[in-house]
Amino acid sequence: MRTALCIVEKELLELWRSPLLVASMVTLPATVVTMPIALLAWLSHAAPEQAVDFLRELYGVPAAASRAAALAAVLAKNWLPMFLVLPIFLPILIAAQSIGGERERRTLEPLLATPVSTLSIIAGKSIAAVVPSLAITWVSALAFCGGMDLIVWPELHALLLPDGAWLFGTLVLCPLLALFGNAAAVVVSSRVLDPRAAQNIAAMTVVPLLGVLVVQLAGRATLSARFYGTFAVCAAAADVALIAVAVRLFDREALLTRTR
Amino acid sequence: MPAIETRNLGKSFGGRRACWDISFEVARGEVFGLLGPNGAGKTTTLRMLAGLLAPDVGEAQVAGERIQAGRAGSARLRGRVGLLTESPGFYDRLTAAENLRYFGRLHGLTAHEADGRAARLLSRFALADHAQRPFAELSRGMKQKLAIARALLHQPEVVFLDEPTVGLDPEATREVRATVAQLASEHATLVLCTHHLDEVERLCSRAAFIAGRLVAIHAVGAQAGGPRVRIALSAPPSEGQLAIVRALPFVSSVACDGASLSLSLAAQGEGVPGAVAALVAAGARIEAVVPVRDVLEEAYVALLARARAEGLAA
């Protein structure tokens, strides 16, 4: 465990000193936070009435509700899946580089020449990918909830977010999905030599969730508490399976000698 | 018990044999060379002995730890050997000291121990002034010396050096060679894998020539016998002159090629002046006396030719 923590410390130090990687990790969450808040501000104060009516009709918002509160409720409900995409996507940016990057920088052989165990390497690299990703996701979620509440406070005089779904999503689903994204990246990174290709392949894991987001934003489905509960159980099962596969596929000898 | 003992080690990758029939012993405190052309299996042999690869066949013992067919060396073995990899392999954004501390801790040292040993090694290899510089900013020679420092950080019983001077400029090569020579003089058990015959000649007591399989083990330097010298005469020597030189007690062999004599001497010391004095006394006129330093090169070329004849080397 001590060596795993040592790997975590080194990985975080390297991340801290990689401004471009940090910037690339922060860009998407910043967009995910500012875009809906800016949209809500515009819809609440400056959008044409027809646009608002269209949204009310599409998402079934009662006509009696105030403009800002009604639209905020729609965004609050439909935008949660986007915050579930973040914890999958962000660890991939780090973890896909972790094994392949070591090989590319030729640091893998000196690392494997130490007595450190495979489990410590995977645990250390996983923690170093999951922790900053979760931190960024949680800070983003906090900023999103705060921004939404700031806009609707004058009309509602109450906090709209976080509600039960958001609390469950950010506190339970996000960690599970961060583990999933990381494990997927470690698995792919162990098999694909090029870290960029590994990143792209691992990033495909967010596609199903993006599909759910699109279906919900199109007004074709509403994600229920039951859906999120089932999703959490599936994510936990997938985490266990993927981590087991990651440990199994981490073949020290093949990593050193494979050329394709 | 020898520091290293290998018996019929062999390894294949995807059906292609990288090396086979590798058997040798290295005594404690010995500096042993691994010589051979590119792709001869030297690095594969080192990786097996350093616990990174599992041999397909054969077995070995390194620093008291066993290596068996189908099983790579244990974590304990990796903790008892030091490996200088072909490329330094450090993290660009970490400083020299941070890099050493990281690898020290992976070897089980506490942060305090790792820092202490790193500071001592940085100082020993004249890198103390560069300890806080990011690795990416160090020169090639400094990077390689830092990699040697890493190989010694956990005080290993056996150190494997894989091509320590490859790709370095002459100045850096000189620095790294001096560092390796310093290690050799401290009676560390070193296995030096290199293309540079002069490195082997200067540092090693014996060298194994590998071309897929182990072709021969050759004694080097003082172990290989006395020095050799080439004496250029103004005219081809007479039979009498040759007989006088051959009779000298410190001359072990004489070869004559026109006006040039090649002498193998039994030992250092009076050999060269004694032979020159005897030739002058016998009436020969000497134009030049040149020490021959390519004993190993001759052996290497002969062994390479033999390996090629056996279809072992390209």
Side-chain angles (χ1 to χ4, degrees):
Chain A
M1 196 58 201
R2 209 172 71 168
T3 48
L5 290 177
C6 168
I7 292 172
V8 173
E9 195 181 299
K10 191 276 292 178
E11 295 279 328
L12 293 181
L13 189 60
E14 272 204 298
L15 176 65
W16 180 247
R17 290 180 187 167
S18 314
L20 274 178
L21 182 55
V22 173
S24 70
M25 288 182 74
V26 170
T27 308
L28 179 64
T31 311
V32 166
V33 170
T34 52
M35 207 175 68
I37 291 174
L39 183 68
L40 178 64
W42 177 72
L43 285 170
S44 304
H45 300 107
E49 201 58 44
Q50 296 97 311
V52 177
D53 287 344
F54 170 73
L55 290 173
R56 279 178 188 274
E57 196 181 322
L58 181 63
Y59 295 112
V61 180
S66 79
R67 201 182 218 210
L71 295 172
V74 169
L75 274 173
K77 194 169 194 178
N78 291 331
W79 208 239
L80 176 56
M82 201 63 211
F83 279 84
L84 302 182
V85 167
L86 289 183
I88 303 182
F89 187 74
L90 296 179
I92 289 171
L93 291 177
I94 304 175
Q97 292 283 336
S98 62
I99 309 299
E102 293 262 9
R103 193 165 35 201
E104 197 174 57
R105 289 173 300 183
R106 299 184 172 221
T107 48
L108 188 64
E109 189 174 0
L111 172 66
L112 297 181
T114 67
V116 67
S117 69
T118 299
L119 202 60
S120 290
I121 294 174
I122 291 179
K125 288 186 172 290
S126 297
I127 293 168
V130 166
V131 168
S133 305
L134 261 184
I136 291 172
T137 304
W138 281 337
V139 169
S140 307
L142 209 61
F144 177 79
C145 294
M148 299 291 276
D149 285 332
L150 212 61
I151 292 172
V152 298
W153 182 264
E155 289 184 28
L156 289 182
H157 298 288
L159 292 179
L160 179 71
L161 290 176
D163 58 10
W166 271 82
L167 284 174
F168 183 77
T170 49
L171 297 179
V172 177
L173 275 176
C174 282
L176 290 172
L177 293 173
L179 285 174
F180 176 81
N182 170 72
V186 171
V187 168
V188 175
S189 182
S190 302
R191 309 307 288 179
V192 178
L193 281 182
D194 183 355
R196 287 164 295 272
Q199 204 167 46
N200 293 343
I201 293 169
M204 298 298 282
T205 51
V206 301
V207 170
L209 204 55
L210 282 175
V212 170
L213 178 72
V214 169
V215 168
Q216 183 165 260
L217 281 176
R220 298 290 175 195
T222 303
L223 301 185
S224 61
R226 190 173 171 179
F227 169 84
Y228 284 119
T230 312
F231 190 44
V233 172
C234 293
D239 285 347
V240 172
L242 264 181
I243 290 168
V245 171
V247 174
R248 203 181 173 84
L249 285 185
F250 193 97
D251 181 341
R252 298 169 83 110
E253 188 168 316
L255 282 171
L256 268 184
T257 55
R258 204 152 39 87
T259 53
R260 283 186 296 169
Chain B
M1 183 194 283
I4 301 170
E5 190 176 3
T6 75
R7 257 185 300 211
N8 304 319
L9 275 189
K11 179 78 183 167
S12 300
F13 298 110
R16 189 188 62 82
R17 287 202 298 181
C19 57
W20 64 99
D21 279 348
I22 306 288
S23 303
F24 60 83
E25 285 184 14
V26 179
R28 288 182 193 275
E30 182 177 7
V31 183
F32 189 79
L34 281 184
L35 278 171
N38 285 331
K42 305 187 295 292
T43 297
T44 300
T45 303
L46 274 200
R47 284 176 165 181
M48 286 191 284
L49 297 179
L52 289 170
L53 302 181
D56 294 336
V57 291
E59 58 181 343
Q61 172 277 122
V62 179
E65 299 292 331
R66 287 192 70 189
I67 298 168
Q68 291 168 290
R71 286 177 64 185
S74 62
R76 261 177 48 156
L77 166 69
R78 296 197 297 274
R80 296 177 81 164
V81 302
L83 174 65
L84 171 74
T85 51
E86 233 175 310
S87 153
F90 284 105
Y91 302 94
D92 282 348
R93 290 190 180 86
L94 269 54
T95 66
E98 286 168 345
N99 266 299
L100 285 187
R101 165 197 256 232
Y102 173 60
F103 283 101
R105 291 180 65 195
L106 292 183
H107 272 286
L109 303 179
T110 64
H112 183 68
E113 283 171 331
D115 285 343
R117 288 195 197 175
R120 280 194 292 278
L121 285 165
L122 287 168
S123 171
R124 175 179 168 187
F125 293 142
L127 291 169
D129 291 343
H130 308 282
Q132 300 311 320
R133 284 176 67 190
F135 175 73
E137 292 178 10
L138 300 181
S139 69
R140 289 290 300 272
M142 288 176 191
K143 287 177 177 177
Q144 196 68 344
K145 285 200 292 184
L146 191 67
I148 296 175
R150 175 181 56 201
L152 302 175
L153 198 58
H154 53 294
Q155 298 175 338
E157 292 170 44
V158 177
V159 181
F160 297 105
L161 304 171
D162 194 1
E163 306 281 6
T165 56
V166 75
L168 298 182
D169 62 35
E171 191 186 357
T173 299
R174 206 170 138 186
E175 277 183 55
V176 170
R177 280 182 183 165
T179 305
V180 177
Q182 194 184 346
L183 285 180
S185 69
E186 291 166 4
H187 306 294
T189 307
L190 298 180
V191 177
L192 177 66
C193 180
T194 180
H195 286 114
H196 297 290
L197 300 175
D198 53 337
E199 260 167 30
V200 172
E201 195 133 48
R202 225 179 291 177
L203 300 169
C204 301
S205 53
R206 290 182 306 141
F209 180 79
I210 295 178
R213 73 172 173 78
L214 194 147
V215 179
I217 294 178
H218 200 278
V220 181
Q223 312 286 323
R228 292 180 64 191
V229 68
R230 188 168 290 127
I231 300 176
L233 305 174
S234 58
S238 64
E239 281 302 317
Q241 287 167 337
L242 275 176
I244 287 169
V245 177
R246 283 195 179 111
L248 292 171
F250 42 80
V251 172
S252 44
S253 73
V254 179
C256 180
D257 181 12
S260 176
L261 286 180
S262 287
L263 309 187
S264 289
L265 304 169
Q268 298 279 4
E270 64 166 329
V272 177
V276 169
L279 278 167
V280 170
R285 287 191 62 188
I286 293 172
E287 294 195 334
V289 179
V290 184
V292 177
R293 300 195 189 281
D294 57 356
V295 179
L296 189 63
E297 188 176 320
E298 282 175 12
Y300 181 89
V301 170
L303 289 168
L304 191 61
R306 190 171 124 198
R308 281 186 179 134
E310 292 175 24
L312 296 174

